[in-house]
């Protein structure tokens, strides 16, 4: 089976840096996604890591360590609009290619 | 263009009604997905279509019936739903189901209320 863990909530200050961690256990790991979801809206794609290391994309970076079953999403220069849920999702090829979502981390950015 | 469209945006239906949710993409993607999302919960996979064929059914009750008329369209037919089926129904598409082209792009969702 699969298990994905991320903190339920985090709070950070505008302009600061925040790191959202995700740990996972899966038998057929085939990549890890981060999505952003504002309340009542659809998830929007942020990043996809399939190899170990850091992927940087503007203010957002994502890191993966396959041996540790660990990823993080780093958000720099936080803005109020970054207040949202951040979903870690693992792609698993057991029984067909599926993307399994973690419960999400609700990030509150305060002034 | 990474747009996936869904209609309707909101739907209220009774337990005896039959309705359909529609999803469309014109990105040439060959994989399309239906997810169900309850409030403050992650999306849960329901169905995956790959090259217009159903490839994954996550043991979804038969009152939900997916259909893929062509590579751009995905429908979800609803019949005899229960109040607990009320949720946000999300459609997504990806270029393929394997390789580096697996990133899923989501539509805005249909918020379904079953009375």
């Amino acid at each position: 089976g699969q298990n994905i863990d991320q903190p339920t909530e985090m709070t950070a200050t505008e302009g600061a840096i925040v790191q959202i961690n995700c740990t996972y256990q899966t038998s057929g790991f085939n990549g890890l996604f981060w999505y952003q979801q504002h309340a009542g809206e659809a998830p929007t794609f942020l990043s996809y890591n399939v190899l170990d290391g850091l992927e940087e994309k503007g203010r957002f970076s994502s890191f993966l360590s396959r041996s540790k079953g660990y990823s993080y999403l780093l958000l720099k220069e936080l803005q109020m609009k970054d207040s949202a849920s951040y979903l870690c999702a693992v792609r698993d090829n057991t029984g067909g290619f599926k993307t399994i979502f973690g419960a999400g981390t609700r990030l509150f950015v305060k002034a | 263009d990474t747009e996936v469209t869904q209609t309707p945006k909101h739907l209220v239906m009774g337990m005896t009604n039959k309705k359909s949710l529609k999803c469309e993409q014109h990105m040439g993607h060959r994989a399309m997905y239906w997810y169900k999302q309850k409030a403050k919960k992650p999306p849960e996979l329901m169905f995956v279509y790959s090259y217009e064929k159903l490839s994954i059914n996550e043991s979804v009750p038969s009152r939900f019936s997916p259909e893929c008329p062509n590579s751009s369209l995905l429908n979800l037919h609803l019949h005899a739903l229960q109040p607990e089926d009320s949720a946000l129904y999300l459609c997504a598409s990806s270029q393929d189901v394997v390789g580096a082209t697996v990133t899923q792009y989501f539509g805005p969702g249909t918020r379904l209320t079953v009375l």
Side-chain angles (χ1 to χ4, degrees):
Chain A
Q2 304 96 2
N3 191 40
I4 302 172
D5 288 312
Q6 33 180 151
T8 305
E9 288 185 0
M10 298 181 72
T11 301
T13 305
E14 193 175 19
I17 299 173
V18 72
Q19 178 175 312
I20 302 174
N21 296 323
C22 172
T23 58
Y24 63 88
Q25 293 175 311
T26 183
S27 51
F29 179 80
N30 206 246
L32 186 143
F33 296 92
W34 283 97
Y35 282 85
Q36 179 192 61
Q37 187 174 26
H38 286 96
E41 298 182 11
T44 55
F45 170 73
L46 293 177
S47 67
Y48 177 50
N49 293 68
V50 66
L51 300 176
D52 290 351
L54 186 68
E55 298 268 349
E56 297 186 75
K57 199 184 289 186
R59 293 190 299 116
F60 293 8
S61 302
S62 57
F63 171 84
L64 175 67
S65 169
R66 288 172 296 171
S67 62
K68 295 181 180 177
Y70 168 68
S71 172
Y72 68 73
L73 180 70
L74 194 70
L75 292 77
K76 302 176 187 175
E77 300 169 19
L78 280 174
Q79 302 174 10
M80 300 298 285
K81 67 178 183 179
D82 297 330
S83 294
S85 285
Y86 290 86
L87 303 169
C88 172
V90 171
R91 185 168 160 75
D92 190 294
N93 63 8
T94 307
F97 287 92
K98 304 176 189 177
T99 299
I100 311 299
F101 285 82
T105 298
R106 294 176 68 197
L107 175 66
F108 299 93
V109 180
K110 58 182 183 179
Chain B
D1 180 16
T2 55
E3 188 178 27
V4 177
T5 59
Q6 290 186 242
T7 55
K9 288 187 178 179
H10 300 275
L11 178 62
V12 179
M13 60 186 291
M15 291 189 283
T16 58
N17 293 156
K18 286 185 181 180
K19 297 286 185 183
S20 296
L21 309 185
K22 297 186 184 301
C23 174
E24 191 167 4
Q25 56 86 15
H26 294 287
M27 297 177 279
H29 287 180
R30 304 314 299 263
M32 297 185 76
Y33 310 77
W34 280 115
Y35 287 86
K36 173 183 177 181
Q37 187 176 27
K38 304 281 266 184
K40 299 185 180 180
K41 297 289 186 183
E44 295 177 9
L45 182 66
M46 300 174 73
F47 302 104
V48 180
Y49 272 82
S50 176
Y51 291 82
E52 299 163 50
K53 288 187 170 21
L54 183 65
S55 61
I56 293 177
N57 176 342
E58 289 288 91
S59 303
V60 179
S62 59
R63 58 186 184 269
F64 295 91
S65 175
E67 179 198 19
C68 190
N70 60 56
S71 60
S72 299
L73 294 174
L74 185 66
N75 298 323
L76 186 63
H77 303 298
L78 314 173
H79 173 55
L81 294 194
Q82 304 295 311
E84 58 264 29
D85 296 323
S86 298
L88 181 67
Y89 287 84
L90 294 164
C91 173
S93 72
S94 63
Q95 195 168 336
D96 209 322
V97 291
V98 295
T101 56
V102 298
T103 297
Q104 293 178 36
Y105 296 93
F106 285 83
T110 294
R111 186 157 300 282
L112 174 68
T113 303
V114 182
L115 301 176

